[in-house]
Amino acid sequence: MFIRRLYPIRENAALQSRVNSFFQDLAKEGSATENGSEVAGTFVPAVDIYDNGEKVVLKLEIPGVKEEDVDIRIENQTLSVRGERKYEAEEKQENFQRVERHYGSFHRSFSLPISVDAENVGATYEAGVLKLELKKKASAQPRQIKIGAVVGAAAGAAAGVAA
């Protein structure tokens, strides 16, 4: 009789590794391969978003994408950035050993806060980084309020209550 020792932690780790590999392969959605290398499909550009009080700034990394291949739109408080990094067919004859850069189309959408003025947007593209500056509405700008100062309708209400 053969006795086999079980190592559940090791077996779970192997299963987890196989599941991770499956999902990594699945994440390469829509990609066509040539000689085992990814050459076409979709990619998701990295983005940094920050708010400096006066405006919301987005920086998208899209190196290799031509300015005319980028489409930026705002509709119903949603900012959409679409584009495409095209694979140069003439380089196909260079007998590549490995192609790791992603090619194809991309699409990113961002819900904008109500405080953003959709009519006041600036876009610049430099060194492969698309920078979008979305200015906030004047009413959304931060302002300092002095203690003891009563403003607008609140002043009338405060005066009526004090009387």
Side-chain angles (χ1 to χ4, degrees):
M1 176 155 102
F2 178 72
I3 297 177
R4 181 174 175 237
R5 189 174 291 242
L6 294 176
Y7 298 99
I9 294 175
R10 187 182 312 160
E11 291 173 12
N12 285 343
L15 176 63
Q16 183 67 44
S17 177
R18 281 186 257 148
V19 169
N20 287 343
S21 176
F22 170 75
F23 282 110
Q24 287 171 352
D25 292 341
L26 191 62
K28 295 178 182 176
E29 63 185 81
S31 60
T33 61
E34 182 173 307
N35 297 329
S37 298
E38 185 174 339
V39 295
T42 60
F43 71 99
V44 180
V47 65
D48 293 337
I49 303 172
Y50 61 91
D51 183 341
N52 70 2
E54 297 176 7
K55 59 188 169 190
V56 176
V57 179
L58 289 89
K59 291 183 178 181
L60 283 92
E61 286 185 355
I62 50 174
V65 177
K66 294 179 181 172
E67 199 171 315
E68 58 267 12
D69 291 336
V70 178
D71 180 40
I72 306 164
R73 296 176 189 257
I74 295 180
E75 187 175 341
N76 297 329
Q77 289 302 110
T78 301
L79 170 70
S80 296
V81 180
R82 296 178 188 268
E84 183 175 8
R85 182 173 10 199
K86 297 178 181 170
Y87 184 73
E88 292 100 20
E90 64 271 5
E91 289 184 11
K92 210 174 202 179
Q93 299 171 4
E94 293 292 327
N95 215 4
F96 283 114
Q97 296 296 316
R98 187 174 184 97
V99 176
E100 291 187 350
R101 295 185 302 156
H102 295 276
Y103 294 94
S105 61
F106 66 88
H107 176 225
R108 296 289 310 256
S109 292
F110 306 94
S111 295
L112 299 177
I114 298 171
S115 60
V116 168
D117 183 4
E119 302 298 321
N120 201 350
V121 178
T124 57
Y125 185 60
E126 186 178 336
V129 177
L130 175 65
K131 183 177 180 181
L132 300 169
E133 295 183 350
L134 302 106
K135 294 197 176 174
K136 291 186 174 182
K137 296 175 184 171
S139 60
Q141 298 289 333
R143 58 190 168 106
Q144 185 177 14
I145 299 172
K146 302 284 184 190
I147 297 175
V150 182
V151 181
V161 170

